Amino acid sequence: MQPQSPHGGYPCSSPGSPGGASSFSYHPHQYSLEYNQSMTLSKAEAREWQHTTARIDTFVEKGSQDDSQLPSGDISKGHWKRSSERSNCSNSKCRKKFGPLYLRKHHCRKCGGVFCGQCLQFRCHLSPLAEYDPSGKLYQVCEICYNADTQTIGKVRELTKLFCTARSKFQAQVNSNALVQGNPTKTILKQECARLVDGYRRDALSHTPDSQDQADNNKPKSGGLFGFGILTPKILIPKTSIPKLPTSRSIKGIPDWQKPTTWMSEGTECKVCDTPFGRLDKYHNCRICGRLVCLKCSHKKLLLYVPDACDRDRLGNQPRWAIIAIVGCPEVEPDKHVYLRVCHPCREKLETLQVEAYYESLQEADDTADCMARMIHMHRNIVAVQQKLDAALPEYKQLIDGMEIEPESPKSLPSQRSNMQLLAKHQGDLSDNFTKFVVMVSRLKKLKPQSSTQLKLVKSLISCKFGFYSENMYEFRQLKRRLAQISPPEILQEIQEMVDSEAINSACLCIGQLAFESLHLCTKYEMDVQLSLAIKGAAEVCEADLKENVDMRGKEAWEEHKEALDVFIKTQLGERKRWYVRPSRSRSSYYGKSYVSNYLMRRSEEIVGQIYLQLRTRCADRQFEKSKEALTELKDTLEGVAKSQEANSQLPWQ
């Protein structure tokens, strides 16, 4: 009998430990683990996550494109009704009368009917031929076309079932070859264990225990390891109340549910040690791979059991499997159980699989909570920006509708200059919010899914945000094109000048504040000031472009404007305390300047990228080229340094 530890329970061995000594230790009053393995995704799931992060990079790259870089193309207009023949809205519930100034005519892109603007608030994906197309662009349609069933051109043939059947047959053949060769993968081992557990549930548990068995189920168990315990045949106390299988079972031999598809009925030698079988030698079949093995190369250590009543709150009431005397098996012999024989190679792989699964379950709760908490926090920030976009787009559309007049009518400047300022403000705010949305979605790359469920959840979230951006950004660009069609060139030029001025002013403020913060942190923690000097260089280039813009507009002296910028930055850093870079105090005191340097690098990379996107999306293509080039060089430098730091060292706070 193995010695009992002074704190209760029994020692257990683990795969790969020298001399059978345990590398795991636990005491009820002292939580100590010498084994620590972080939960990771499978290779296929890891490749899937890499593909998802690549999609995010493409999304950010496309989000920085301006309207001049987008492909041109429009829908067919041959089926449109003549607007001159319609004096009222085609919607039977509306029937508003069109006017030259107050109510303009619009065409439904699907049916070609003539409607008012209020009756064309719906959007639908259409092809260039005005047919329903899920991969087409969004066009404005009437309510009837929006609610109509989509049409499918030609005949669609579903080949998914045929493909799944063929793949299953191929995979089954591959698994059989691996089992025959004695080299099953983890996936095959899990499938075989699931087969045995399912067969045990259907066959062996069909015999109900007597009342004495039910009474024994409620007896409390003591001792064990981690609440899961260990099991070894030398210390188990046999129970006379264990339900026995019918005698007819022994007459029929081994049940069919224990036999894998690669079951060997005959053989002349052991498939593990290659020892020939004698006439009096007993040979057995492994319940996992089905190969014939000798008595020395196999043991009855695979346990199929149903958790006792006292453990069902924690383990459930479904049958399970375990390798005895290995961490993760039950504390004591369960009431309902059966031992199966496995060969040594399969047993070793099952032990490794069991230990990995057990320690993954210990960390799963913490890792899952961390990933889910970060994802919920990011989602809330993204939803906040979405709400702003949902509220701002209709207001921007109403402003454009208020300026829209018939092509035959003479175009004139609006009577109040505040209309142009309001349009410029809405256009700039929408561009900023779309940029914020792109930046916040790009942060989802930093998540580290710990399971396939989390991976699917993150992918679904990313796809949802991609769809939201695609639909709303398309509508925003369509509104800007519509504004360009109905407005005189002088109005468009004035609006764009206002937007450009606000954009370069905002970029100069942000990059200037970041330069001050980086210099402050480098001085405080005695770090290299090369980063702050690089940021300061980009800030000087943006300041030069801003000075040129202020002088060109001639509405304000540059000295006064520069003084206002300095006062604003001092207020942000002083009274308001709105810092861009806020390293953790506890981590800064514990890890020192190595943590602060890494955090400053990553945070600066994110902020510079956001400033560049805002300047790129808001301004005209040829405006402030020097500032854009300086920000691009700074962004590339920060990305390169960040990647080199990540590749050369594994930091504990990452």
Side-chain angles (χ1 to χ4, degrees), residues 59-119:
F59 170 72
V60 175
E61 182 179 354
K62 290 184 177 180
S64 63
Q65 294 179 349
D66 53 21
D67 295 341
S68 62
Q69 297 173 312
L70 299 175
S72 60
D74 206 348
I75 196 169
S76 174
K77 300 180 181 180
H79 62 291
W80 284 15
K81 308 295 189 298
R82 292 185 180 180
S83 59
S84 58
E85 298 177 357
R86 300 291 190 273
S87 59
N88 297 85
C89 178
S90 299
N91 188 359
S92 58
K93 298 179 182 179
C94 177
R95 304 300 297 175
K96 289 182 181 180
K97 188 174 182 179
F98 297 119
L101 295 176
Y102 55 87
L103 192 62
R104 186 175 178 268
K105 300 175 182 179
H106 301 270
H107 284 85
C108 172
R109 269 47 174 179
K110 179 65 179 73
C111 65
V114 182
F115 299 86
C116 64
Q118 294 295 330
C119 295

Side-chain angles (χ1 to χ4, degrees), residues 12-73:
C12 68
S13 62
S14 62
S17 56
S22 173
S23 62
F24 307 94
S25 61
Y26 170 77
H27 303 290
H29 305 289
Q30 182 179 1
Y31 192 92
S32 174
L33 281 178
E34 300 175 11
Y35 182 93
N36 185 14
Q37 179 181 0
S38 60
M39 189 175 184
T40 56
L41 299 174
S42 63
K43 292 183 178 179
E45 292 170 343
R47 289 194 298 268
E48 190 175 359
W49 177 241
Q50 291 178 357
H51 175 68
T52 303
T53 55
R55 287 182 58 199
I56 296 178
D57 294 335
T58 305
F59 170 72
V60 175
E61 182 179 354
K62 290 184 177 180
S64 63
Q65 294 179 349
D66 53 21
D67 295 341
S68 62
Q69 297 173 312
L70 299 175
S72 60

Side-chain angles (χ1 to χ4, degrees), residues 492-554:
L492 295 176
Q493 183 178 358
E494 184 69 20
I495 292 175
Q496 189 60 48
E497 288 179 359
M498 294 179 183
V499 174
D500 292 346
S501 179
E502 291 294 331
I504 189 61
N505 192 71
S506 176
C508 189
L509 282 172
C510 295
I511 195 68
Q513 180 176 339
L514 181 62
F516 276 107
E517 293 185 23
S518 61
L519 182 60
H520 167 73
L521 291 175
C522 291
T523 305
K524 180 179 179 181
Y525 292 94
E526 298 180 354
M527 299 185 301
D528 191 3
V529 296
Q530 292 297 326
L531 174 61
S532 60
L533 292 178
I535 299 175
K536 181 183 177 183
E540 292 176 350
V541 176
C542 294
E543 185 176 320
D545 281 344
L546 177 60
K547 181 179 182 301
E548 183 179 351
N549 180 265
V550 171
D551 295 340
M552 181 186 65
R553 293 178 66 87

